[in-house]
Amino acid sequence: MPRQPTSPSESFVQSISKVPTGIAGLDELTQGGLPAGRPTLVCGAAGSGKTMLAAEFLVRGASQFREPGVFMLFEETAAELTENMRSLGFDLAKLQRQKKIAIDFVRVERSEIEETGEYDLEGLFIRLGHAVDRIGAKRVVLDTIEALFAGVSNHAILRAELRRLFRWLKDRGLTAVITGERGESSFTRYGLEEYVADCVILLDQRIANQISTRRLRVVKYRGSAHGTNEYPFLIGTNGISVLPITSLALLHTASHERVPTGIPGLDQMLGGLGFYRGSSVLISGAPGTGKSSVAASFADAACARGERALLFSYEESRSQLLRNMQSIGLDLQHWIDKGLLHVEATRPTLHGLEQHLVHMYDLVRAFKPDVVAVDPISNLTAGGDDAGLQLTLMRLIDFLKTSNATAMFTTLTPDGGPQAVASSEVGVSSLMDSWLLLTNLAYNGERTRTLQVLKSRGMAHSNQVREFTFSDEGVGLVDVYLHGDQVLTGTARIAHEARFQAATDLRGRDHARRMRDLANRRKALDAQIASLLLEADERAGEVEFAIARETFEAEGIAARVRDIAQARAAPPPKVTKRSKSGGA
């Protein structure tokens, strides 16, 4: 059971049926396509693309939406239309054989109309109705209506027949596209068709700075909301492309994944992880600061991760870019051979901004890159049309965000130092998620490249100014070198490092000398101590010997004293008396 509308406004919107045109961007602009079963007037000056739009409306309907169509021509023959549409890749002859499209050329001669008398479209209705019934057509194109009414001078008849034509198409339920030439003071030559048609689309072709651009505007659309601004469109090899506007609603999803830049020092300045995937990065700087090298390093790093990279070069040819990048150790030809890198090198003046943008869209859709680099965007406009460039880049940035492609844009700034920052980005810095500034600093007779991160949304980033160098190993950033309250770069840093290293070596040698003197003194003291110890040992031996001798002598004296004492303490010997008879 179908859902019932919940409000009168919703019921009104649901009652409006639309038919998709299949034309890139136009269905987005009209929020679904052209009004079903109603006539749409496509008006514009000669060469604005009316016939091409109408023909593609039929071809897309027959090939993509299974809605056969009738193309009724009043100015060019069927063979001429078939040949013209073949240049856009549409095979009308094949669709005619498949009975998906019927082409009818109606020759209208003013003299014949005058001879016939009162003008009447009844014969046209019969002829058109027969073609519609023959293939079961749902779509009809009439090209152009001025040729149909070329011999009618009576405005009353013209008005009546126009209303009859539009009413006949509505009664048959045919979704019709009617082309008309632009009038001097109205949208069409007669100024009547725009009032009768339910939808009016105005095509315009203009020349600015010797470059042709086409614009499309929906003047009115009964019963439906639609974009009311002018929108660029192109007629390319794949048909008509109206620049899409849905991405301007800012509905893309923000990724939390980080993408390395290919420059380790720059990754450190961005928290060690690089940019967010799907973000937009602006590299601005004066000539010779290394913008192209940063963009090439970014693309090279993506290819090294196995991702696809698309590089647009508007200053150098492909071979020149490959040669120059080899001088800093980047072999981009290797990635081209592997199919991971595509370099698109063209002159900015080859096309207008819109055609460049559509060409970028086509390449991105076909190549499906993970990384896109545009070098430089400032060359896309030669006349200083910053407003047009800003609109173009806004659409490109939003398109790449919806494609989840990380984009890097470079832009040229005047070589005037930091004061050129404010005018360095042709009005697009506010659209960028990250902004890097490369500068040349002239000091002590030399130029030094520096890099700083002016902004990087959603991540912590360094506020330091880092020296930027090139070598055979690629692009590098030198660590910040402070001397007092100053940051030294270039030869000033090298000279100070040399002086500091010399002073460090001198201090090292002085310390080594002092340590040797201390060691020698210690050895001398150790020798002196050993000599003193030896002398002390000798003196101790002599003392011990003297003490032993004295002890020995003392003991000998004591022994003699004891002997004498003992001798004196003994009793006298007894005298034995002799007998008188014995002895003499």
Side-chain angles (χ1 to χ4, degrees), residues 179-205:
T179 66
E181 295 180 4
R182 180 74 181 270
E184 294 182 359
S185 59
S186 60
F187 292 117
T188 57
R189 179 181 299 179
Y190 301 111
L192 302 175
E193 300 91 329
E194 58 261 33
Y195 297 103
V196 181
D198 292 87
C199 178
V200 178
I201 298 176
L202 177 63
L203 305 183
D204 178 39
Q205 185 179 23

Side-chain angles (χ1 to χ4, degrees), residues 471-509:
S471 67
D472 294 339
E473 297 179 356
V475 177
L477 295 180
V478 179
D479 292 337
V480 175
Y481 190 85
L482 294 175
H483 175 55
D485 59 349
Q486 295 182 343
V487 176
L488 300 182
T489 60
T491 56
R493 172 183 56 81
I494 296 174
H496 191 273
E497 286 180 341
R499 290 195 299 269
F500 181 79
Q501 185 63 40
T504 301
D505 294 341
L506 183 60
R507 285 195 301 271
R509 290 195 295 269

Side-chain angles (χ1 to χ4, degrees), residues 84-372:
N84 294 338
M85 294 302 295
R86 185 176 292 112
S87 64
L88 302 181
F90 300 139
D91 191 351
L92 294 184
K94 179 180 179 181
L95 293 174
Q96 289 183 85
R97 291 193 299 269
Q98 296 174 347
K99 295 186 178 181
K100 293 181 178 180
I101 283 183
I103 301 177
D104 189 5
F105 170 63
V106 178
R107 186 171 60 89
V108 178
E109 292 291 343
R110 183 173 181 177
S111 59
E112 295 179 1
I113 296 175
E114 291 175 347
E115 291 174 1
T116 303
E118 185 176 351
Y119 191 83
D120 191 297
L121 291 180
E122 194 63 35
L124 176 68
F125 296 158
I126 295 174
R127 189 166 181 171
L128 182 59
H130 173 72
V132 169
D133 296 336
R134 180 164 54 88
I135 64 172
K138 302 294 182 182
R139 305 187 180 196
V140 170
V141 169
L142 302 179
D143 181 45
T144 66
I145 197 168
E146 283 78 18
L148 186 61
F149 295 102
V152 181
S153 58
N154 189 326
H155 276 229
I157 296 177
L158 176 62
R159 187 189 303 269
E161 291 304 309
L162 275 175
R163 292 186 181 277
R164 282 189 64 201
L165 173 61
F166 280 63
R167 175 51 55 189
W168 186 89
L169 294 172
K170 286 184 178 181
D171 292 342
R172 296 291 298 261
L174 297 171
T175 304
V177 171
I178 302 172
T179 66
E181 295 180 4
R182 180 74 181 270
E184 294 182 359
S185 59
S186 60
F187 292 117
T188 57
R189 179 181 299 179
Y190 301 111
L192 302 175
E193 300 91 329
E194 58 261 33
Y195 297 103
V196 181
D198 292 87
C199 178
V200 178
I201 298 176
L202 177 63
L203 305 183
D204 178 39
Q205 185 179 23
R206 63 193 66 169
I207 304 295
N209 297 322
Q210 301 179 359
I211 297 177
S212 173
T213 58
R214 290 184 172 93
R215 308 278 175 161
L216 179 148
R217 179 165 69 95
V218 179
V219 178
K220 78 171 185 179
Y221 198 138
R222 289 174 180 165
S224 173
H226 59 277
T228 57
N229 297 328
E230 281 190 332
Y231 300 95
F233 77 96
L234 288 177
I235 301 176
T237 56
N238 296 320
I240 293 178
S241 299
V242 182
L243 300 189
I245 62 171
T246 53
S247 58
L248 299 182
L250 295 178
L251 300 177
H252 53 267
T253 303
S255 173
H256 293 274
E257 183 183 356
R258 302 285 282 272
V259 179
T261 64
I263 305 174
L266 181 55
D267 290 337
Q268 294 176 4
M269 296 181 70
L270 299 170
L273 299 174
F275 302 113
Y276 282 116
R277 182 175 295 279
S279 63
S280 55
V281 182
L282 177 65
I283 311 292
S284 58
T289 52
K291 303 180 298 299
S292 300
S293 299
V294 174
S297 298
F298 188 52
D300 179 77
C303 295
R305 296 190 300 269
E307 300 177 356
R308 300 167 72 88
L310 179 59
L311 178 59
F312 292 94
S313 175
Y314 295 125
E315 287 185 332
E316 301 175 296
S317 67
R318 173 174 166 176
S319 61
Q320 183 180 1
L321 176 67
L322 298 179
R323 182 203 64 187
N324 294 345
M325 291 305 109
Q326 286 180 348
S327 65
I328 59 173
L330 299 181
D331 185 9
L332 300 183
Q333 183 64 50
H334 172 69
W335 304 123
I336 294 176
D337 296 338
K338 284 194 171 185
L340 296 176
L341 175 65
H342 178 76
V343 178
E344 184 71 11
T346 57
R347 280 295 181 189
T349 55
L350 180 63
H351 307 296
L353 286 174
E354 293 79 12
Q355 192 161 350
H356 276 295
L357 183 57
V358 173
H359 182 58
M360 290 177 177
Y361 283 178
D362 293 339
L363 283 178
V364 170
R365 292 190 184 102
F367 193 65
K368 295 180 174 56
D370 301 283
V371 166
V372 175

